[in-house]
Amino acid sequence: MPRTEAMARRTYGGRSAADRRAERRERLMEAGLQLFGGDGYAATSIEKLCTHAGVSTRNFYEEFSSREDLLIALHKRANERSFAAVTTAFEDAADAALAERFELAVRTFIQTMAADTRLARVAYVEMIGVSNTVEKHRMAWRKKWWDFMVREADRAVLRGEAEPRDFTLPALAVIASVNELVHHYSLNRGRITLDELITEVVRFSVAAVTAP
């Protein structure tokens, strides 16, 4: 095959096949966010996703094996971005007091996960009870956040900000409470301010680490 013809097969309108596929995937991700976060996961068919994204069913299955696969991809992306942002926030405030570090991290987490009500619904409502596969994925992310909280509590002990103890249960309580409050905030913005929520989360998070 002549080189010019091969190039024509790989590009269209100046865009490569890989670029076009990446764009289709993003359209499907956006469709999933819009429909799962609006109509709900159970009410959203693959056909509906494809219509919203402007792609074919074949295109869908080139990117995702199922609706569950798309749901997991949305949840994974949100948590990866949030985890990276919170980790950076802690690093940037490494020398600050415990309450200040927690405030920065909590603000970062909430702004990442609750800024979009669709994302909050996907993460805290639509992920629940879908299947064993989705639940396994959700629990893996909860464990990652849980371990992160335990490490920060142990670091507070080394800094003399807390007494040494087993932080496993306090960390789990904080993670579960924060998730519920973030979802509550996403549904009640206007009646609850971001600063009010952050103040409350920081209060019980610091208490969970420093209480004897």
Side-chain angles (χ1 to χ4, degrees):
M1 179 185 299
R3 185 172 184 274
T4 54
E5 185 177 345
M7 287 294 293
R9 287 177 176 269
R10 291 196 296 270
T11 63
Y12 180 80
R15 295 161 57 243
S16 69
D19 288 340
R20 296 197 303 276
R21 181 169 178 175
E23 182 183 349
R24 287 197 300 267
R25 183 179 178 87
E26 284 305 308
R27 292 207 304 270
L28 283 165
M29 291 284 282
E30 178 58 30
L33 181 61
Q34 179 67 30
L35 297 176
F36 294 161
D39 299 342
Y41 176 80
T44 301
S45 65
I46 289 177
E47 290 74 16
K48 195 172 182 179
L49 287 164
C50 291
T51 298
H52 191 89
V55 303
S56 67
T57 303
R58 179 178 61 82
N59 290 152
F60 179 91
Y61 284 109
E62 287 174 348
E63 303 303 327
F64 303 102
S65 62
S66 62
R67 287 186 309 146
E68 286 185 17
D69 194 24
L70 174 55
L71 182 67
I72 287 172
L74 286 167
H75 186 264
K76 179 182 178 182
R77 173 183 284 184
N79 275 275
E80 285 177 341
R81 289 176 175 175
S82 183
F83 194 85
V86 170
T87 300
T88 299
F90 266 110
E91 291 172 350
D92 291 345
D95 297 327
L98 181 63
E100 184 179 340
R101 295 202 308 278
F102 272 20
E103 179 177 353
L104 180 59
V106 169
R107 184 179 296 275
T108 300
F109 179 81
I110 293 173
Q111 288 176 333
T112 304
M113 296 298 287
D116 189 327
T117 57
R118 301 170 304 171
L119 179 58
R121 177 173 174 176
V122 167
Y124 302 117
V125 178
E126 299 304 320
M127 290 291 292
I128 309 300
V130 173
S131 69
N132 289 336
T133 299
V134 173
E135 190 65 8
K136 183 177 179 180
H137 168 84
R138 190 175 71 87
M139 288 296 100
W141 266 105
R142 188 172 76 165
K143 180 64 164 54
K144 187 169 183 174
W145 284 108
W146 184 1
D147 290 343
F148 179 83
M149 181 68 184
V150 170
R151 287 196 301 272
E152 289 305 317
D154 289 338
R155 188 171 296 134
V157 171
L158 295 176
R159 292 164 57 101
E161 297 172 313
E163 295 298 318
R165 65 189 179 99
D166 184 354
F167 291 104
T168 302
L169 289 180
L172 180 57
V174 169
I175 296 303
S177 298
V178 169
N179 286 346
E180 182 63 27
L181 285 171
V182 168
H183 180 231
H184 182 70
Y185 167 74
S186 74
L187 297 177
N188 292 278
R189 280 184 293 182
R191 286 180 286 174
I192 302 171
T193 69
L194 178 61
D195 286 338
E196 286 173 334
L197 180 62
I198 290 171
T199 297
E200 193 58 40
V201 172
V202 171
R203 181 183 293 118
F204 69 71
S205 298
V206 171
V209 172
T210 61

